[in-house]
Amino acid sequence: MSKPRLLITRRVFPEVVDALRAVYEVRTNDDDAFWTPEQTREKAADCDALYVVATDRVDAALLAACPNLKIVATGSVGYNQIDVAACTARGIPVTNTPDVLTEATADMAWALLMATARRVTESERWLREGKWGRWAWDQFLGADVHGATLGIVGMGRIGSAVARRASGFSMRLQYTNRSPAPNEAELGALRVDLDTLLATSDHVVLVLPYSPQTQHMIGAAQLARMKPGATLVNIARGGIVDDAALARALRDGPLAAAGLDVFEGEPVVNPALLEVPNVVLTPHIGSATRSSRLAMAMLAARNLLAFAAGEPLHTPVNGDALRARGAS
Ligand code: NAP
């Protein structure tokens, strides 16, 4: 019997491909070439399974081009790039990679928070430019992290891991979620609405999923409500922050600085952000430690292997929706 066909859209660790070859006829992108949506549709057209990443759009057009498609596995926890409703309507399970990247991403949120509050990259650039003539009392004064108020928008897996790290800095913790976080007492975190969080936090970390509801959730009006001298970290997804409005708030206030790992329209970065000095910019590397990325890649593969074996999926996104569809 012939093996089911699997398209892996991006170059991935060889051990992951080897594990999948045992069960699938695997088509890879060894050069890690950029594929247009049309090229992806062509390459996926006869496939039974798709292994994608956070930057691959799986939309109605791609689904329509793949009549044999039976499963979509993404090597990311976020799945806003996938039209999950359209997959569900076609009976296609979608899987993601929660938990295995939580701690690495929380570490990175803290790296950005510290670098932002204490002006690490801004002062390094100045030093490299040969501008360090002598020490001065008021050189690169930043904001205290210890003892400050940390506001977390999205107290889920990663938000909670960010919050746990704050105890070492004696911070006051508050958060915004649509529903109370079950671990708020354990974390010592107070749930407040977004406006209150923005107006009363010294440092704000965004770590919630992108969706049409969270598009530009932090725009000019929200930025204007932030405390003068506050900092903002976006480790979540581009599009949640209005990057043009953020660049203005960094230039004109009230923000002191921002740290961004994700951008609207990435890998293109709004030129206005490149012009302001008080922003730390990283190229979507929140989960980028070797162990974390390997664990993510393997979890996506384990979902595909479980599917081929007719076993329960490890981390389904639309399991409930598929069951409800089956029952109706
Ligand atoms: P999670 O456990 O599902 O947590 C998400 C949290 O956001 C939940 O507590 C949820 O609570 C809250 N939330 C959702 N919609 C909200 C809204 N409209 N307003 C306020 N809160 C809202 O997810 P996670 O594993 O922590 O990951 C969070 C996100 O981080 C991912 O979706 C991904 O996009 C991003 N991420 C980025 C990187 C990177 O490399 N930069 C790496 C990993 C993850 P309620 O449902 O109660 O609102």
Side-chain angles (χ1 to χ4, degrees):
M1 210 174 72
S2 64
K3 291 177 177 175
R5 291 197 180 96
L6 166 67
L7 176 68
I8 306 180
T9 59
R10 299 296 303 274
R11 185 173 58 218
V12 66
F13 303 99
E15 52 269 55
V16 172
V17 181
D18 288 346
L20 287 163
R21 279 200 207 283
V23 171
Y24 286 94
E25 182 189 316
V26 180
R27 190 172 299 157
T28 55
N29 179 359
D30 291 335
D31 302 331
D32 213 19
F34 172 79
W35 294 344
T36 62
E38 293 72 27
Q39 286 170 317
T40 306
R41 287 203 285 275
E42 257 172 48
K43 289 173 198 297
D46 59 349
C47 284
D48 301 281
L50 268 182
Y51 182 131
V52 300
V53 298
T55 50
D56 291 317
R57 273 180 72 81
V58 179
D59 54 14
L62 179 56
L63 294 176
C66 307
N68 301 332
L69 192 63
K70 295 172 191 68
I71 181 166
V72 177
T74 180
S76 60
V77 63
Y79 48 83
N80 53 284
Q81 82 281 23
I82 300 173
D83 187 338
V84 176
C87 288
T88 305
R90 277 203 30 203
I92 297 172
V94 176
T95 66
N96 68 340
T97 62
D99 300 315
V100 292
L101 77 182
T102 293
E103 299 301 330
T105 309
D107 286 348
M108 187 64 195
W110 268 90
L112 286 174
L113 197 169
M114 297 296 284
T116 298
R118 296 303 304 273
R119 307 177 66 177
V120 171
T121 57
E122 187 186 355
S123 60
E124 186 191 354
R125 269 196 306 276
W126 180 84
L127 178 154
R128 284 178 185 274
E129 286 163 9
K131 293 179 175 165
W132 191 15
R134 59 193 180 128
W135 182 92
W137 281 106
D138 59 353
Q139 235 160 38
F140 291 103
L141 298 181
D144 280 330
V145 174
H146 69 274
T149 297
L150 176 61
I152 297 177
V153 185
M155 188 66 98
R157 288 171 292 246
I158 301 170
S160 299
V162 171
R164 282 196 299 275
R165 284 156 174 74
S167 67
F169 289 82
S170 309
M171 299 182 92
R172 201 169 77 81
L173 270 180
Q174 49 190 12
Y175 76 98
T176 296
N177 261 15
R178 290 165 304 179
S179 47
N183 53 355
E184 64 174 21
E186 175 200 327
L187 294 169
L190 180 70
R191 181 165 166 249
V192 295
D193 61 44
L194 182 63
D195 283 353
T196 305
L197 181 135
L198 294 172
T200 58
S201 297
D202 301 299
H203 306 288
V204 173
V205 174
L206 307 176
V207 63
L208 71 168
Y210 175 84
S211 68
Q213 292 72 45
T214 61
Q215 159 78 12
H216 284 193
M217 183 179 184
I218 306 295
Q222 290 73 27
L223 291 163
R225 279 186 203 114
M226 291 183 71
K227 263 177 115 167
T231 74
L232 175 73
V233 166
N234 185 6
I235 191 81
R237 276 288 181 271
I240 296 176
V241 176
D242 176 343
D243 284 350
L246 175 61
R248 287 194 294 276
L250 287 165
R251 194 190 56 209
D252 304 333
L255 278 192
L260 309 174
D261 187 48
V262 287
F263 305 87
E264 273 186 294
E266 63 187 52
V268 177
V269 175
N270 189 314
L273 283 174
L274 299 173
E275 279 164 24
V276 283
N278 47 342
V279 60
V280 180
L281 308 167
T282 53
H284 202 147
I285 56 170
S287 63
T289 66
R290 191 179 156 80
S291 66
S292 180
R293 284 278 168 88
L294 184 57
M296 292 160 68
M298 270 301 181
L299 179 52
R302 285 173 52 226
N303 276 309
L304 289 162
L305 294 171
F307 181 77
E311 292 165 4
L313 300 173
H314 299 284
T315 47
V317 165
N318 57 345
D320 289 347
L322 285 171
R323 274 187 291 280
R325 179 179 172 271
S328 65

